[in-house]
Amino acid sequence: KSHKADAKDEKTQSDTTKDETNKIETKVNEDGTTEIVCTTKEPGEEYTIYQLPMMDNAGGAGYAIALPSGKLVMIDGGYQLDGDYIHDFIVEHGGVVESWFITHPHFDHAGGLLYNLEQDFSDISIEKIYYSPFTQEFVESKEAQPIISKETESSFLFNQFEAFRTSDNSKQNLSGIEYIPVKVKDQIS
């Protein structure tokens, strides 16, 4: 058997690509997490991108980028039922989320974040949340009707998200979070 065949039998697959400036290694972990490690030519410059397994591949989305600083950037976060997995992942990677991006407030994208905000975990912190500013007015607007049907309207979690965003942030997990709306063509620095 080749090395790749052995790795596949163990439910872990790994590939490495190297050029003059970067080394990229990809593997699929036993829990289903896809991990891409990019090491740049700068000392200590290593970024790891994770595609997180959500609800037994039921279609939710969740990604994480481990930064050289030891902090994480989260993108979406799956369903609320994925919340414990997301929490444990964050803790295992240092417990600090520098930025969390919510692409849109569907239950399969924003649920993991909302779960972690609700639980008020003291072992994780979130510095910034970037979000698409969907509102009740938008959902009810003529502009949105072609893309949002009455059946999907209930899957938007904007009311729940807005409750956290506008709260007094007295909970440990919520204190100090900066909420930043992002619109088309915005640049984030």
Side-chain angles (χ1 to χ4, degrees):
K1 287 185 180 177
S2 71
H3 172 43
K4 277 192 174 181
D6 288 338
K8 198 169 187 178
D9 289 344
E10 296 171 32
K11 296 187 181 186
T12 301
Q13 186 176 1
S14 180
D15 290 307
T16 301
T17 305
K18 190 173 183 178
D19 62 26
E20 293 179 15
T21 57
N22 299 318
K23 175 184 170 193
I24 299 173
E25 182 180 355
T26 305
K27 67 180 179 179
V28 178
N29 298 322
E30 202 168 297
D31 70 354
T33 302
T34 300
E35 188 175 324
I36 303 168
V37 179
C38 177
T39 306
T40 68
K41 67 179 182 178
E42 300 296 322
E45 286 277 317
E46 182 173 284
Y47 298 84
T48 305
I49 303 167
Y50 299 90
Q51 181 178 12
L52 306 172
M54 302 282 107
M55 294 280 298
D56 295 322
N57 298 316
Y63 301 89
I65 303 169
L67 305 174
S69 66
K71 296 179 180 182
L72 291 171
V73 171
M74 301 296 294
I75 303 167
D76 289 334
Y79 298 89
Q80 286 183 309
L81 291 175
D82 294 314
D84 282 326
Y85 175 82
I86 295 293
H87 167 262
D88 293 346
F89 180 88
I90 293 169
V91 169
E92 288 168 11
H93 290 86
V96 180
V97 176
E98 181 178 288
S99 301
W100 199 317
F101 292 85
I102 296 297
T103 59
H104 61 284
H106 270 153
F107 64 97
D108 60 335
H109 290 259
L113 167 65
L114 293 172
Y115 174 85
N116 278 276
L117 293 174
E118 288 170 353
Q119 297 306 309
D120 192 28
F121 291 117
S122 62
D123 54 353
I124 65 171
S125 67
I126 303 168
E127 296 174 3
K128 297 175 187 171
I129 297 174
Y130 294 89
Y131 65 97
S132 298
F134 280 58
T135 62
Q136 183 70 38
E137 292 77 24
F138 173 78
V139 170
E140 293 171 356
S141 73
K142 287 182 183 180
E143 175 188 5
Q145 291 313 304
I147 59 172
I148 301 173
S149 68
K150 290 294 177 190
E151 294 82 37
T152 62
E153 184 177 330
S154 64
S155 71
F156 281 79
L157 300 177
F158 55 81
N159 289 333
Q160 191 177 357
F161 179 79
E162 281 297 299
F164 282 108
R165 189 183 70 77
T166 59
S167 73
D168 65 6
N169 292 339
S170 61
K171 290 183 173 182
Q172 165 89 16
N173 194 28
L174 301 177
S175 65
I177 296 175
E178 184 178 358
Y179 290 85
I180 304 165
V182 179
K183 296 180 181 173
V184 174
K185 297 186 181 179
D186 279 355
Q187 293 186 1
I188 300 168
S189 56

